[in-house]
Amino acid sequence: MSRIELGLYLREARESKGLQLDDVAATTRISKNYLIAIEAGDFEKLPNAAYVKGFLRLYASFVGLSGDEVVAIYERTGDQAKEAEEGNSSTSTPYSAKPVNRGRWILPLVLLILVVVAAVFIRENEETKVTSPAPAVQPQPVAPAIPPLPIQPARSSAHSEMGSVSVAPTVPAGGAAPVAAEPRLKGVFLKLKCNQDSSLNITIDDNVSQHYDLKSGDIIEWKGENSFALDLGNAGGVEAEFNGKMLKPFGAAGAPAHVVLKADDAQ
């Protein structure tokens, strides 16, 4: 299986579940542009191999595939491409030609170039003496340079629900600067950092349910309107942050746990 076929395999799995790319991006927090590159098999557009494997594992789990199996296919396609390049370089035979004695032509060629350059130089000097000087050109006023427009920072889907930020008014002389109100995020946010391998079933707002095979080092974020319900296979293997607040461990390492987090808990 090639990398293009791997991307097609993932896309077909997504479409079979009736999911859109926006659904995958909203839940896995993977940029939609990266998802498009993955489904096209264009992995060179992703940051590096470590990110590619993490994205593939999250994507596969979201559409009901084995993350380990998809990552293994990706690694095999990389090895096959490398072997093909090495094979092409090893089978090519360098063409060896008999050396041609071109040294005898160098000196006459250099002399010819010098003669041509000298002739052109003498002709230009003669034309300069005969031609009357051109009238001085009045310098035209130069329009002020237009400053470049500021580059707008990229916005990920994690910030799509943020309210607009108001600009603080000018502070009058001798007056105190008003404190600008910080924008507040709507809904609830959950962030998990996996320190040990674990399985996870998560239900968002009693509506959307997903299964994940978590690996050590994975970091996942979710956004909901009101609540999250978690079923963990290894309660002590994860660290959780709920609406910016670090939570206590859900249980001992290796022990299962059922946890419900609601918007009222984050107050």
Side-chain angles (χ1 to χ4, degrees), residues 53-112:
K53 294 178 182 178
F55 290 164
L56 287 176
R57 185 173 286 111
L58 290 177
Y59 190 115
S61 298
F62 183 77
V63 298
L65 301 175
S66 170
D68 292 337
E69 179 182 351
V70 171
V71 171
I73 294 174
Y74 165 75
E75 291 177 341
R76 286 199 298 270
T77 58
D79 294 338
Q80 291 172 359
K82 184 176 180 181
E83 290 175 359
E85 292 178 359
E86 292 177 352
N88 292 335
S89 62
S90 62
T91 54
S92 60
T93 303
Y95 174 75
S96 59
K98 294 182 179 180
V100 179
N101 184 12
R102 296 188 179 90
R104 60 180 181 177
W105 300 103
I106 294 177
L107 182 59
L109 181 60
V110 172
L111 293 176
L112 177 61

Side-chain angles (χ1 to χ4, degrees), residues 164-166 178-184:
S164 60
V165 181
S166 60
V179 179
E182 296 183 355
R184 300 188 62 183

Side-chain angles (χ1 to χ4, degrees), residues 189-195 219 221 238-250 261 265-267:
F189 295 83
L190 175 63
K191 178 179 180 181
L192 286 186
K193 177 182 179 182
C194 186
N195 299 321
I219 299 177
E221 296 182 9
V238 298
E239 297 178 3
E241 181 178 320
F242 186 51
N243 271 19
K245 177 182 178 182
M246 291 299 300
L247 301 180
K248 296 180 180 180
F250 294 140
L261 302 172
D265 301 334
Q267 300 299 325

Side-chain angles (χ1 to χ4, degrees), residues 29 34-35 39 48 60 100 104 146 203 239 254 259:
R29 319 309 293 178
Y34 287 163
L35 294 175
E39 291 190 350
N48 55 51
V100 179
R104 60 180 181 177
I146 301 176
T203 301
E239 297 178 3
V259 182

Side-chain angles (χ1 to χ4, degrees), residues 7-257:
L8 181 61
Y9 174 55
L10 293 172
R11 188 182 72 184
E12 291 176 347
R14 170 179 63 79
E15 292 177 346
S16 67
K17 291 183 174 294
L19 298 172
Q20 301 295 326
L21 282 176
D22 291 334
D23 300 328
V24 182
T27 303
T28 63
R29 319 309 293 178
I30 301 174
S31 169
K32 186 176 180 179
N33 291 334
Y34 287 163
L35 294 175
I36 293 174
I38 289 173
E39 291 190 350
D42 195 1
F43 295 99
E44 288 75 12
K45 292 184 178 180
L46 276 67
N48 55 51
Y51 274 94
V52 172
K53 294 178 182 178
F55 290 164
L56 287 176
R57 185 173 286 111
L58 290 177
Y59 190 115
S61 298
F62 183 77
V63 298
L65 301 175
S66 170
D68 292 337
E69 179 182 351
V70 171
V71 171
I73 294 174
Y74 165 75
E75 291 177 341
R76 286 199 298 270
T77 58
D79 294 338
Q80 291 172 359
K82 184 176 180 181
E83 290 175 359
E85 292 178 359
E86 292 177 352
N88 292 335
S89 62
S90 62
T91 54
S92 60
T93 303
Y95 174 75
S96 59
K98 294 182 179 180
V100 179
N101 184 12
R102 296 188 179 90
R104 60 180 181 177
W105 300 103
I106 294 177
L107 182 59
L109 181 60
V110 172
L111 293 176
L112 177 61
I113 293 173
L114 292 176
V115 171
V116 173
V117 172
V120 172
F121 179 75
I122 294 173
R123 182 177 180 181
E124 289 181 352
N125 286 341
E126 292 177 353
E127 292 178 352
T128 303
K129 294 177 181 179
V130 175
T131 305
S132 59
V137 179
Q138 295 296 330
Q140 298 295 328
V142 180
I146 301 176
L149 295 176
I151 299 176
Q152 298 298 324
R155 296 184 64 190
S156 68
S157 58
H159 300 84
S160 61
E161 295 298 328
M162 291 181 63
S164 60
V165 181
S166 60
V167 180
T170 305
V171 181
V179 179
E182 296 183 355
R184 300 188 62 183
L185 299 178
K186 298 179 181 180
V188 289
F189 295 83
L190 175 63
K191 178 179 180 181
L192 286 186
K193 177 182 179 182
C194 186
N195 299 321
Q196 300 175 5
D197 294 354
S198 176
S199 62
L200 167 66
N201 287 312
I202 181 170
T203 301
I204 304 173
D205 296 326
D206 298 325
N207 184 18
V208 180
S209 297
Q210 296 296 333
H211 173 78
Y212 295 89
D213 294 320
L214 300 178
K215 298 295 181 181
S216 178
D218 287 347
I219 299 177
I220 317 177
E221 296 182 9
W222 296 272
K223 173 183 173 293
E225 296 295 332
N226 185 54
S227 66
F228 300 102
L230 312 177
D231 287 293
L232 291 160
N234 183 0
V238 298
E239 297 178 3
E241 181 178 320
F242 186 51
N243 271 19
K245 177 182 178 182
M246 291 299 300
L247 301 180
K248 296 180 180 180
F250 294 140

